Amino acid sequence: MAAVVTGIGGYLPPRTVTNDDLSRTLDTTDEWIRTRTGIRQRRVVSEGLSTGELAVRAGARALSSAGLSGVDALVVATTSPERLCPAVAPEVASRLGLGTIAAFDLTSACSGFLYGLATAAGLIESGTADTVLFIGSEAFTTLVNPADRATAPIFGDGAGAVVLRRGEPDEPGALGPFDLGSDGALADLLAIPAGGSRQRSADGGLGHASVPTEDWYLRMEGRALYTQAVERMTQSARSALKRADWSVDDVDWFVGHQANIRIVAAVAEELELPDERVAVNIDRVGNTLAASVPLLLNDYAARGELKAGQRVLLSAFGAGLSWGSTVLVWPDVHAEPVA
């Protein structure tokens, strides 16, 4: 048996922050941001919106797309949880009226959607669940230093969701073989130092008092990450294609994590994929971490550019370091446009 995509949905917070908006408080310009990242604007949570609320709205749309009112399990991938404890997934399940189903969070940063797909597929293939709602939801701008011009322009908030059901391996929507990997030796290239048990135990239980303000925000080594992202995504994508017995020529759409337009373009070039087969929406939403890939899928499906029967290659890279890829033939599902 296989896990089959049967519904999709997305949600973006209404507040838009443009590059010009950022340039009023940061030493940067619209041109500087666009030429280095490909981003023109991003959506940002405002008062009353957080990871859980974004997940609920995207999840509801995915359930509607699938024509379901309930599922057997819910998984939420996020690196910006509502609280350190408990997980947000049980609350999301409750708010969606899904009852007392299995619900848990998964953290794998920008690779969260690929890791979460593999996890949700495992629940189905093991017989634990017949249907799973999987949501990537992020309010990551709350964890980025607004005064850091290296990171503040990159990230945006949002949520994307898919519903998976038990099905046959050869039917449209069936998830293909996965390639997943990690390299924890390079974990410090992208990290938030404070807030966890390492910092809390190291400061002798003093809590916030001894922690520098910048340690509460994301730190990023951009140059090293670029090299790792291109190399790892390219290798992972090739591995997934090989396991599926696909060639690059079989791929109609490359849907890569939207971290930086230069990374997406470099991976596509390494794979020898032409620009017209590379999906991109980073210019409008920025890097939404675990929500990136499902939002991109929803975007292209809603616009009719991603059509039933087309072959799709998914790939992502993120903190951890972690990466993953898979393939699928796109099914006939309804996607509602995300404003």
Side-chain angles (χ1 to χ4, degrees):
M1 305 300 292
V4 179
V5 174
T6 189
I8 190 167
Y11 181 78
L12 293 169
R15 181 187 172 200
T16 297
V17 176
T18 67
N19 292 345
D20 287 334
D21 292 333
L22 291 177
S23 68
R24 296 188 182 100
T25 56
L26 287 174
D27 180 19
T28 190
T29 65
D30 170 63
E31 181 183 11
W32 192 92
I33 297 170
R34 279 190 295 105
T35 56
R36 286 161 177 79
T37 68
I39 302 169
R40 297 176 181 273
Q41 63 182 43
R42 71 286 296 146
R43 298 295 186 89
V44 176
V45 292
S46 51
E47 186 176 351
L49 284 178
S50 59
T51 299
E53 179 64 23
L54 300 179
V56 167
R57 299 192 187 197
R61 290 180 176 179
L63 288 168
S64 176
S65 170
L68 296 176
S69 59
V71 290
D72 299 320
L74 168 65
V75 181
V76 175
T78 185
T79 313
S80 47
E82 303 247 323
R83 297 170 286 185
L84 286 177
C85 179
V88 72
E91 185 177 353
V92 172
S94 176
R95 292 184 58 188
L96 286 171
L98 300 178
T100 56
I101 62 170
F104 61 93
D105 289 1
L106 176 152
T107 300
S108 194
C110 299
S111 299
F113 189 71
L114 270 299
Y115 270 79
L117 278 183
T119 300
L123 292 173
I124 290 174
E125 292 165 5
S126 68
T128 303
D130 287 331
T131 54
V132 179
L133 172 60
F134 170 50
I135 309 171
S137 185
E138 303 284 6
F140 198 75
T141 61
T142 60
L143 303 179
V144 176
N145 188 342
D148 180 10
R149 79 168 192 160
T151 58
I154 295 175
F155 296 94
D157 302 324
V162 293
V163 176
L164 303 175
R165 62 166 174 81
R166 182 180 297 273
E168 299 295 331
D170 58 351
E171 68 175 295
L175 297 175
F178 283 87
D179 176 82
L180 303 173
S182 70
D183 186 355
L186 299 175
D188 287 342
L189 292 182
L190 190 66
I192 299 173
S197 61
R198 179 182 298 187
Q199 168 258 309
R200 290 170 186 246
S201 63
D203 71 6
L206 295 177
H208 296 189
S210 63
V211 181
T213 300
E214 58 270 20
D215 281 4
W216 295 101
Y217 295 119
L218 180 72
R219 291 182 181 177
M220 182 179 72
E221 298 291 338
R223 291 179 182 270
L225 280 170
Y226 172 88
T227 301
Q228 286 289 320
V230 174
E231 177 182 348
R232 300 302 190 179
M233 284 179 69
T234 300
Q235 291 175 346
S236 181
R238 285 175 175 158
S239 178
L241 289 173
K242 183 177 181 179
R243 293 180 185 185
D245 198 24
W246 287 15
S247 71
V248 172
D249 291 337
D250 292 326
V251 176
D252 295 302
W253 285 108
F254 172 53
V255 178
H257 166 59
Q258 304 289 284
N260 182 303
I261 193 62
R262 290 180 173 180
I263 293 174
V264 175
V267 173
E269 183 177 0
E270 290 289 327
L271 294 172
E272 298 183 348
L273 279 165
D275 292 346
E276 59 268 22
R277 287 193 273 157
V278 180
V280 174
N281 70 351
I282 191 173
D283 56 316
R284 292 180 287 110
V285 300
N287 180 350
T288 56
L289 288 85
S292 171
V293 171
L295 280 171
L296 186 53
L297 287 169
N298 188 88
D299 186 13
Y300 272 63
R303 289 191 281 147
E305 295 189 55
L306 174 57
K307 300 177 176 64
Q310 291 186 319
R311 293 190 172 194
V312 184
L313 169 63
L314 309 178
S315 188
F317 171 89
L321 299 177
S322 60
W323 54 86
S325 301
T326 193
V327 299
L328 76 157
V329 175
W330 192 246
D332 184 12
V333 295
H334 172 71
E336 180 180 342
V338 177

